[in-house]
């Protein structure tokens, strides 16, 4: 067939794995920072900015990530940037992650009983103090399991960055397949690698969920 | 050249229309099949024979922890090279169904597990058999309990059909790619299709939330 | 006994609606310094709503509400912060902060709002815990306490701001019967020490025992006001007579 041995395939796939990890990490961290900012704005200004942020979330949750990636890539070109897959993928995935994270966390904040807001209001705390000392510590606790769940989604979704030419695990699999003509083995191996990456996080998330369920 | 110019893209509307119908077909078919598969798997995981339980658990974990694009590549390219040749549409349907089945299994299972014990005992005392109890007393109310979560998953599934364009299934993202390549108006083309998805997603979610209580699990309150 | 000379809480023509439902239809009430006022009345008569207007948890539409001579203005955050330092509240459902120890629950607001030093705040919290009979519980967490103990912590938490008046909204309704007494004893002690209290309660015997004045609310209005003796032994209106006969001897004080 070709000069690619089984070991060559696996070695090349493994070498591309850091790019998948890198993209996941950037998207997750970017998403956390931006998501947190959006969360705070949404709580502080529920009517004006809050409405806008709800639309932002709807936009990202109501359209395919694939389209978002294309739009970011070609949109950057339109704005006069040299569209590098790296820039487009990290930007787009960070925005995407921020929308999902902010929505999830907003749900957690809203699920804190009304009495907690009222009690802290009655003690003359202002909104900033209420959030910082009373609401966020409680919301943080319940937000950990779904946040871990989102991390898994993000890792899996970095695979779509392959379509705009970002060379990570999936794209490497495609390239190798074009050489070896053995998609069964290559994609099977790629799948197992993703599984090895995601499954531990999934398990961890589930353990946390169970622990918190029992805790309260 | 204008910065944004939709004229060439709009001219290609027949392509978008046919892509739209394919997207709808893929979505509806895989939603039905996937929910059915998910419910069956939920039954296996709750009451099935233990070997089958293990197999289903492995299937669910495998599909929930790998990207959809790899699943569809494996099914379309990988299985073909191993002798199972499928067209792009069939491969898409298989991949979408298997993917949704794995997620639906967990959602439906959670709904069924929340069945109050008294309900089952009441049914048992009325001499219903295991299958009757499962379908009448556990599945319908269970679905009703998790319907919002299931609807979210179905919308995610609808959006995931866009990935089928990567194996040349001619749905609406494929149309977008095709028009983008032909007119060199990539941004405009993807923008139009993204807007379509947004409308479909909003409408689809509304439709499901409306349909569920009326036709799928009767008029029950939880 | 010149208790009611200056009105600490002055309410005139207070009206409040939720959408189209008018809940308060023009309340007039004046509560003096060191006075203990109980509010009784049927469910839905607007007792909680009135109480929550006093510390700005609810926004009212018309009328006047003054605390210590200052009008309540819910649109002004600074005014609200000042108001809430003067008005403490104890809730039916305790609403302790679950992620904080008992001590931190009490010290939080003095440290943040009154800029009290950690050392002073700790001394204050210990003193207040002793006052409500929970000296040992400084480092416990809310979920480790019984309902009655949690409610006593909530009272200490309200006291920590050294408010001019404390509002209590059915603070024993969520408690098991055997725990009601310990909470009411704390409130009774506060009343004796001269803390101004406005108490919504269904405990008629308690109202009779500690209140200077009893306010009977009916359909969003103050229907009858008088000393506990007057209200319970010689009610003037048929509505109050009916209310008392229905509620009489329901739950005896422990
Ligand atoms: N947030 C709200 N939105 C709409 N209606 C409300 C709200 N809060 C209270 N109400 C209505 O206002 C009326 C008075 O309520 P309120 O809680 O003040 O009564 P209450 O006298 O405290 O009754 P209870 O003894 O049951 O506590 C009720 O009819 C209630 O349904
Ligand atoms: Mg009330």
């Amino acid at each position: 067939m070709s000069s690619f041995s089984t070991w060559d395939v696996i070695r090349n796939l493994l070498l591309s794995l850091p790019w998948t990890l890198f993209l996941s990490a950037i998207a997750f961290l970017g998403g956390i920072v931006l998501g947190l900012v959006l969360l705070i704005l949404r709580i502080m200004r529920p009517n004006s900015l809050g409405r806008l942020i709800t639309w932002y979330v709807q936009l990202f949750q109501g359209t395919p990530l694939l389209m978002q990636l294309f739009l970011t890539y070609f949109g950057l070109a339109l704005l006069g940037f040299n569209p590098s897959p790296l820039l487009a993928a990290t930007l787009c995935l960070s925005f995407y992650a921020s929308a999902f994270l902010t929505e999830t966390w907003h749900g957690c904040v809203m699920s804190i009983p009304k009495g907690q807001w009222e009690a802290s209001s009655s003690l003359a705390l202002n909104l900033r103090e209420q959030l910082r000392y009373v609401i966020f510590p409680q919301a943080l606790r319940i937000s950990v399991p779904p946040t871990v769940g989102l991390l898994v989604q993000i890792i899996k979704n970095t695979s779509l960055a392959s379509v705009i030419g970002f060379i990570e695990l999936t794209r490497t699999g495609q390239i190798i397949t074009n050489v070896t003509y053995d998609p069964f083995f290559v994609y099977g191996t790629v799948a197992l690698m993703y599984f090895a990456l995601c499954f531990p996080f999934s398990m961890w998330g589930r353990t946390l969920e169970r622990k918190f369920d029992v805790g309260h | 050249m204008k910065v944004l110019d939709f004229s060439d893209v709009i001219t290609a509307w027949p392509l978008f229309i046919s892509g739209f119908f394919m997207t709808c077909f893929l979505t509806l078919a895989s939603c039905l099949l996937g929910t059915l598969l998910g419910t069956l798997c939920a039954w296996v995981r709750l009451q099935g024979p233990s070997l089958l339980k293990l197999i289903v658990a492995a299937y669910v974990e495998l599909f929930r922890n790998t990207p959809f694009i790899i699943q569809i590549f494996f099914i379309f390219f990988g299985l073909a090279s191993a002798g199972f040749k499928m067209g792009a549409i069939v491969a898409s349907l298989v991949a979408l169904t298997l993917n949704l089945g794995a997620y639906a299994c967990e959602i439906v299972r959670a709904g069924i597990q929340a069945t109050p014990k008294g309900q089952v005992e009441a049914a048992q005392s009325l001499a219903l058999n295991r299958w009757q109890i499962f379908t009448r007393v556990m599945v319908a109310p269970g679905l009703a309990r998790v319907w919002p979560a299931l609807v979210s998953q179905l919308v995610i599934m609808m959006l995931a059909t866009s990935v089928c364009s990567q194996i040349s299934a001619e749905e609406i993202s494929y149309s977008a790619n095709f028009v983008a390549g032909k007119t060199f108006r990539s941004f405009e083309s993807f923008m139009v299709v993204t807007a379509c998805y947004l409308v479909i997603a909003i409408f689809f979610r509304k439709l499901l939330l409306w349909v569920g209580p009326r036709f799928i699990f009767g008029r029950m309150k939880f | 006994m010149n208790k009611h000379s200056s009105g600490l809480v002055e309410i005139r023509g207070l009206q409040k609606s939720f959408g189209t439902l008018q809940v308060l239809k023009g309340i007039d009430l004046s509560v003096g310094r060191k006075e203990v006022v109980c509010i009784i009345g049927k469910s839905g008569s607007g007792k909680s709503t009135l109480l929550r207007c006093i510390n700005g948890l609810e926004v009212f539409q018309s009328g006047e509400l003054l605390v210590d001579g200052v009008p309540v203005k819910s649109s002004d955050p600074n005014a609200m912060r000042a108001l809430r330092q003067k008005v403490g509240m104890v809730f039916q459902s305790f609403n302790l902060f679950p992620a904080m120890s008992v001590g931190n629950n009490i010290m939080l607001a003095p440290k943040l709002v009154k800029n009290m030093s950690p050392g002073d705040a700790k001394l204050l919290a210990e003193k207040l815990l002793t006052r409500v009979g929970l000296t040992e519980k400084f480092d416990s967490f809310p979920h480790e306490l019984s309902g009655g103990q949690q409610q006593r912590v909530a009272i200490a938490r309200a006291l920590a701001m050294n408010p001019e008046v404390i509002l209590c909204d059915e603070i024993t309704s969520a408690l098991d019967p055997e725990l009601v007494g310990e909470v009411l004893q704390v409130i009774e002690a506060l009343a004796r020490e001269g803390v101004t209290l406005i108490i919504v309660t269904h405990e008629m015997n308690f109202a009779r025992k500690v209140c200077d004045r009893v306010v009977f609310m009916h359909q969003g209005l103050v229907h009858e006001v008088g000393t506990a003796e007057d209200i319970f032994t010689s009610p003037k209106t048929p509505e109050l007579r009916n209310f008392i006969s229905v509620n009489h001897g329901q739950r005896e004080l422990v």
Side-chain angles (χ1 to χ4, degrees):
Chain A
M1 241 169 29
S2 75
S3 56
F4 257 67
S5 69
T6 302
W7 166 239
D8 282 331
V9 172
I10 293 177
R11 188 171 54 92
N12 276 292
L13 289 176
L14 283 176
L15 282 176
S16 71
L17 209 54
W19 286 106
T20 288
L21 290 175
F22 169 78
L23 191 54
S24 306
I26 296 284
F28 193 55
L29 292 179
I32 283 180
V33 172
L34 186 55
L36 208 54
V37 172
L38 292 174
L39 175 70
I40 291 169
L41 290 177
R42 193 169 172 185
I43 295 170
M44 294 277 210
R45 298 266 174 282
N47 295 320
S48 51
L49 273 174
R51 190 88 39 86
L52 271 177
I53 293 166
T54 319
W55 287 345
Y56 173 88
V57 170
Q58 282 228 330
L59 192 67
F60 279 95
Q61 294 195 334
T63 58
L65 177 59
L66 194 65
M67 295 296 110
Q68 295 165 22
L69 281 160
F70 279 131
L71 279 177
T72 313
Y73 185 76
F74 292 114
L76 282 174
L78 220 56
L79 290 175
F81 292 95
N82 189 21
S84 90
L86 175 70
L87 180 66
T90 47
L91 262 184
C92 180
L93 277 163
S94 296
F95 284 126
Y96 175 84
S98 76
F100 278 81
L101 287 168
T102 206
E103 179 69 1
T104 304
W105 294 338
H106 190 250
C108 294
V109 167
M110 289 300 124
S111 74
I112 303 299
K114 222 172 111 214
Q116 294 291 312
W117 290 94
E118 294 184 345
S120 45
S121 295
S122 301
L123 290 169
L125 269 57
N126 60 29
L127 183 53
R128 199 186 57 78
E129 292 162 342
Q130 280 181 300
L131 291 176
R132 160 90 176 71
Y133 295 99
V134 177
I135 304 299
F136 280 169
Q138 293 180 58
L140 186 69
R141 228 180 106 85
I142 49 176
S143 70
V144 174
T147 304
V148 173
L150 282 176
L151 173 62
V152 174
Q153 298 299 327
I154 290 167
I155 297 176
K156 288 191 295 176
N157 280 332
T158 57
S159 63
L160 290 181
S162 62
V163 298
I164 55 168
F166 186 84
I167 303 181
E168 36 65 80
L169 184 53
T170 299
R171 186 85 191 115
T172 307
Q174 280 176 300
I175 295 170
I176 295 175
T177 308
N178 287 339
V179 181
T180 65
Y181 303 109
D182 189 5
F184 188 86
F185 175 70
V186 176
Y187 289 132
T189 311
V190 171
L192 288 180
M193 286 182 179
Y194 275 112
F195 184 81
L197 220 53
C198 295
F199 187 61
F201 284 113
S202 292
M203 289 298 280
W204 184 44
R206 236 169 295 166
T207 315
L208 288 174
E209 204 168 338
R210 222 166 307 144
K211 211 167 77 189
F212 289 166
D213 264 2
V214 176
H216 263 277
Chain B
M1 249 168 90
K2 275 187 282 179
V3 178
L4 279 184
D5 182 358
F6 285 93
S7 53
D8 291 348
V9 172
I10 302 292
T11 321
W13 65 269
L15 276 171
F16 290 121
I17 295 291
S18 70
F20 168 81
F21 281 116
M22 181 52 79
T23 294
C24 289
F25 166 72
L26 286 176
T27 303
L28 292 180
S30 58
C31 279
L32 281 176
L33 294 172
T35 307
L36 205 66
L37 175 66
T39 309
L40 280 175
C41 289
W43 175 75
V44 170
R45 289 203 76 171
L46 288 170
Q47 310 191 338
S50 52
L51 178 65
L52 215 52
K53 257 186 195 158
L54 213 66
I55 295 173
V56 168
Y59 148 67
V60 167
E61 290 306 332
L62 199 62
F63 273 76
R64 281 164 57 97
N65 288 292
T66 50
F68 178 62
I69 192 171
I70 291 299
Q71 292 164 13
I72 202 167
F73 280 173
F74 186 81
I75 287 165
F76 185 65
F77 299 115
L79 290 188
S81 76
F84 293 97
K85 277 206 181 0
M86 282 178 264
I89 305 294
V90 177
S92 297
L93 273 182
V94 171
L96 288 165
T97 301
L98 287 174
N99 184 276
L100 177 59
Y103 284 95
C105 171
E106 293 304 281
I107 296 172
V108 174
R109 186 172 69 133
I112 291 172
Q113 265 177 334
T115 308
K117 224 170 157 185
Q119 297 268 311
V120 178
E121 284 168 359
Q124 278 167 341
S125 70
L126 292 169
L128 270 64
N129 67 32
R130 247 172 76 157
W131 178 249
Q132 286 168 329
I133 292 177
F134 186 73
T135 53
R136 310 288 166 84
V137 183
M138 300 172 84
V139 168
L143 270 181
R145 244 173 252 127
V146 293
W147 190 243
L150 197 56
V151 167
S152 294
Q153 193 59 46
L154 295 179
V155 172
I156 290 174
M157 166 94 306
M158 186 282 287
L159 296 174
T161 58
S162 65
V163 176
C164 301
S165 62
Q166 298 303 307
I167 59 165
S168 310
E170 299 182 351
E171 41 69 75
I172 196 165
S173 301
Y174 183 84
S175 312
N177 268 311
F178 186 84
V179 173
K182 228 177 56 175
T183 63
F184 300 107
R185 284 293 175 183
S186 309
F187 189 78
E188 290 87 336
S189 173
F190 286 116
M191 214 165 124
V192 166
V193 169
T194 304
C196 285
Y197 274 113
L198 190 59
V199 172
I200 300 175
I202 292 169
F203 179 76
F204 190 46
R205 168 180 294 276
K206 287 229 160 79
L207 179 78
L208 287 170
L209 289 175
W210 183 81
V211 159
R214 259 153 271 254
F215 300 104
I216 300 181
F217 38 77
R219 256 180 295 162
M220 286 182 287
K221 280 252 164 69
F222 289 93
Chain C
M1 255 203 16
N2 188 13
K3 268 185 165 181
H4 317 150
S5 55
S6 62
L8 178 61
V9 178
E10 285 286 347
I11 304 170
R12 284 181 224 122
L14 186 75
Q15 298 197 12
K16 159 83 191 164
S17 312
F18 291 106
T20 54
L21 176 73
Q22 194 176 22
V23 177
L24 300 180
K25 300 173 181 164
I27 302 280
D28 294 301
L29 184 66
S30 169
V31 178
R33 241 169 249 282
K34 300 197 172 184
E35 199 181 7
V36 179
V37 170
C38 282
I39 302 176
I40 59 173
K42 273 201 307 212
S43 180
S45 55
K47 308 181 295 290
S48 297
T49 308
L50 174 61
L51 221 54
R52 292 159 59 86
C53 282
I54 297 175
N55 78 339
L57 283 180
E58 301 288 358
V59 180
F60 54 90
Q61 276 88 22
S62 69
E64 238 186 329
L65 207 171
L66 296 103
V67 176
D68 207 9
V70 184
V72 173
K73 251 178 52 198
S74 50
S75 55
D76 177 357
N78 289 327
M80 287 313 281
R81 197 161 164 107
L83 169 78
R84 282 165 174 166
Q85 292 181 57
K86 286 188 230 158
V87 184
M89 184 149 188
V90 184
F91 298 84
Q92 180 175 349
S93 49
F94 328 140
N95 296 343
L96 293 182
F97 307 133
M100 284 177 217
S101 70
V102 164
N104 284 331
N105 260 280
I106 299 173
M107 295 187 296
L108 181 71
K111 281 200 279 197
L112 287 177
V113 182
K114 296 214 186 285
N115 294 318
M116 199 179 275
S117 73
D120 290 348
K122 186 153 193 282
L123 284 177
L124 174 68
E126 282 166 348
K127 203 183 81 193
L128 289 170
L129 277 178
T130 307
R131 197 159 158 196
V132 298
L134 294 171
T135 318
E136 308 299 307
K137 301 293 184 188
F138 190 90
D139 290 316
S140 301
F141 275 80
H143 68 265
E144 298 165 343
L145 305 181
S146 73
Q149 290 171 330
Q150 288 189 49
Q151 193 61 296
R152 283 187 279 156
V153 173
I155 294 169
R157 185 176 68 175
L159 283 170
M161 294 294 279
N162 197 19
E164 308 262 357
V165 52
I166 296 182
L167 314 173
C168 303
D169 190 0
E170 295 191 33
I171 60 171
T172 55
S173 294
L175 296 177
D176 292 337
E178 70 271 20
L179 302 178
V180 170
E182 61 186 62
V183 173
L184 292 185
Q185 273 164 24
V186 170
I187 295 293
E188 229 182 299
L190 294 183
R192 273 200 306 272
E193 291 160 28
V195 178
T196 313
L197 292 164
I198 305 179
I199 304 169
V200 170
T201 185
H202 285 159
E203 307 280 345
M204 294 305 149
N205 291 323
F206 170 75
R208 205 163 174 164
K209 196 157 135 202
V210 302
C211 288
D212 301 318
R213 245 181 342 144
V214 176
V215 173
F216 171 62
M217 281 186 65
H218 186 67
Q219 297 184 343
L221 285 167
V222 173
H223 204 75
E224 212 174 316
V225 190
T227 63
E229 199 56 32
D230 288 345
I231 290 285
F232 290 113
T233 52
S234 52
K236 294 188 187 65
T237 57
E239 288 83 8
L240 177 56
R241 234 170 286 146
N242 184 34
F243 177 79
I244 288 172
S245 70
V246 169
N247 285 273
H248 192 72
Q250 262 195 338
R251 206 144 99 174
E252 291 299 321
L253 255 183
V254 185

